[in-house]
Amino acid sequence: MEKLIIHKESCKSCRYCIENCPKGALYIKGDINEKGYPYVSVDHEKCTTCGICYNVCPDYVFEIQEREV
Amino acid sequence: MLKKKPAACFVDNKYCPGCGHGIINRLVAEVLEEMGIYEESIGAIAVGCASLMPETFAVDCIQAQHGRAAAVAAGIKRCRPDKTVFTYQGDGDALAIGFSETMYSAIRNENITVIFVNNSNFGMTGGQMAPTTLENQKTTTTPRGRNIAETGDPLNVINMMKDLNTAYIARGSLTNNANIMKTKKYIRNAFEAQQNSEGFSFIEILSPCTTNWKMDPIKAMEHIEKNVTPVYELGVFVERGEKNA
Ligand SMILES: Cc1ncc(C[n+]2csc(CCOP(=O)(O)OP(=O)(O)O)c2C)c(N)n1
Ligand code: SF4
Ligand code: SF4
Ligand code: SF4
């Protein structure tokens, strides 16, 4: 099993990931990180760990890791 | 598919939200890492927002004077042909003050790779007109829009280079996942051409400058799709595939 990890402190709220996620799994709730940006969160139920958000993010927020089942 | 940012890219890059430089930095690092050469590569880095790159990029870099990155890279490569040498430059740098250095590196078919970020303005200095600025595009020095009767046409440098004796020339963009993956492939092909001593390789990348365009990042990407790509066509323009330099 794989899991999407979000390094929220790096997010600058550009929304490229939200726009490009084919599953509509990403959203911004409004919570703000230390830099002052409302950061991205994921709905793990919808995410297929396709990696598109990793590719389009200019700020290296996403990581896909192996997860213990 | 497991994904992790390349070790050569540190987090907290200094670019504005939605700036394309962050994606391009990562693509260069991924390619160098996948080729197993990031610890032995050398970058000649331009002024402008390109100069923010070495702050969060763990590859040996030299800060070139404004416009001179291709000349600096050519010098490094001639002294150390065993190294993989690249430039990282904006359009103001490579095509305005550095036009001669850029063109003559291509004309001499120097065995270097130029990574050229076309964001159609001078980003760091506050969004002045660059040679690549589109017709009618508003910048701080063309507040009514670029008048090509006064300043000439937007400079398509690949059109000027593609009939020269070079190794690999391509133009990519960052507007969606597919274009980003293609751009990465072009960067890989360029570095491979250099490793095979095929000669000069040049990758132009259409990139958003969200701050100076005064556009929301998503709108900036739409602007590239709709207005920039028709002027600067995407694709591979030169592909040699044999020893040449
Ligand atoms: C000799 C010299 N003249 C002028 C400058 C001021 N300057 C700094 S960056 C820059 C332009 C950068 O624009 P571009 O290459 O398009 O890069 P961007 O910031 O858009 O990535 C200029 C003119 C300088 N650093 N050195
Ligand atoms: S990995 Fe794919 S499905 Fe999951 S959030 Fe990212 S883009 Fe969406
Ligand atoms: S693409 Fe990256 S920086 Fe932009 S909103 Fe998504 S996670 Fe944040
Ligand atoms: S000024 Fe433009 S090119 Fe420079 S970091 Fe900001 S968005 Fe990027």
Side-chain angles (χ1 to χ4, degrees):
Chain A
M1 271 291 269
E2 293 174 348
K3 186 180 184 190
L4 184 76
I5 311 284
I6 294 185
H7 299 287
K8 67 178 169 62
E9 290 308 326
S10 300
C11 178
K12 294 181 188 156
S13 214
C14 67
R15 307 181 80 94
Y16 290 152
C17 55
I18 298 176
E19 182 80 4
N20 283 279
C21 172
K23 298 292 171 189
L26 296 167
Y27 59 97
I28 291 180
K29 277 201 303 246
D31 293 346
I32 289 175
N33 63 17
E34 296 233 321
K35 287 205 210 83
Y37 296 106
Y39 58 83
V40 157
S41 303
V42 62
D43 179 348
H44 288 292
E45 297 289 307
K46 291 188 185 162
C47 173
T48 57
T49 64
C50 69
I52 287 177
C53 51
Y54 167 91
N55 273 339
V56 301
C57 175
D59 289 282
Y60 327 138
V61 169
F62 299 100
E63 189 174 333
I64 297 177
Q65 286 180 357
E66 203 69 55
R67 168 170 67 167
E68 305 287 323
V69 257
Chain B
M1 199 192 306
L2 298 185
K3 289 274 185 191
K4 194 174 176 22
K5 72 162 187 64
C9 277
F10 301 148
V11 292
D12 290 335
N13 65 44
K14 307 302 175 210
Y15 307 117
C16 306
C19 175
H21 276 296
I23 300 175
I24 303 168
N25 284 194
R26 195 195 70 228
L27 296 180
V28 173
E30 282 175 355
V31 167
L32 294 177
E33 199 166 284
E34 285 162 19
M35 291 173 76
I37 53 174
Y38 91 85
E39 281 164 329
E40 50 190 287
S41 301
I42 303 177
I45 310 299
V47 308
C49 292
S51 71
L52 301 171
M53 180 190 201
E55 295 196 31
T56 52
F57 197 73
V59 171
D60 286 345
C61 288
I62 289 181
Q63 177 63 60
Q65 305 91 319
H66 196 4
R68 310 285 111 88
V72 171
I76 299 169
K77 185 71 182 183
R78 286 181 181 208
C79 296
R80 292 298 302 268
D82 55 315
K83 299 285 186 189
T84 301
V85 183
F86 64 96
T87 76
Y88 187 84
Q89 307 176 255
D91 41 10
D93 186 85
L95 297 194
I97 189 170
F99 183 70
S100 173
E101 282 77 1
T102 305
M103 280 309 286
Y104 270 99
S105 298
I107 290 165
R108 296 193 308 268
N109 196 27
E110 296 285 350
N111 194 27
I112 59 169
T113 298
V114 171
I115 307 291
F116 168 61
V117 181
N118 176 352
N119 61 15
S120 73
N121 69 29
F122 285 30
M124 179 168 272
T125 45
Q128 293 83 1
M129 188 189 96
T132 48
T133 297
L134 302 181
E135 182 175 7
N136 296 326
Q137 183 182 333
K138 289 195 171 117
T139 68
T140 46
T141 46
T142 56
R144 289 191 207 88
R146 179 174 184 176
N147 176 355
I148 59 165
E150 276 173 9
T151 61
D153 286 328
L155 182 52
N156 185 330
V157 74
I158 289 182
N159 279 352
M160 305 181 84
M161 279 179 180
K162 67 185 181 196
D163 294 327
L164 300 171
N165 178 32
T166 61
Y168 188 80
I169 297 185
R171 186 185 287 119
S173 97
L174 307 172
T175 52
N176 54 41
N177 185 54
N179 280 336
I180 291 172
M181 295 313 285
K182 268 190 216 159
T183 300
K184 179 174 173 183
K185 183 75 189 137
Y186 297 157
I187 294 172
R188 170 105 191 196
N189 292 347
F191 280 120
E192 283 179 353
Q194 181 181 156
Q195 282 203 318
N196 298 336
S197 298
E198 291 170 30
F200 186 77
S201 49
F202 185 90
I203 308 301
E204 175 169 344
I205 302 159
L206 306 181
S207 178
C209 177
T210 46
T211 296
N212 290 301
W213 293 1
K214 300 182 178 61
M215 276 183 206
D216 163 80
I218 306 274
K219 287 264 169 343
M221 288 298 193
E222 283 169 10
H223 168 74
I224 294 178
E225 279 286 340
K226 208 167 119 238
N227 304 317
V228 186
T229 315
V231 179
Y232 300 108
E233 188 195 346
L234 306 183
V236 178
F237 297 84
V238 174
E239 189 164 28
R240 171 171 286 272
E242 63 196 52
K243 242 186 162 59
N244 184 36

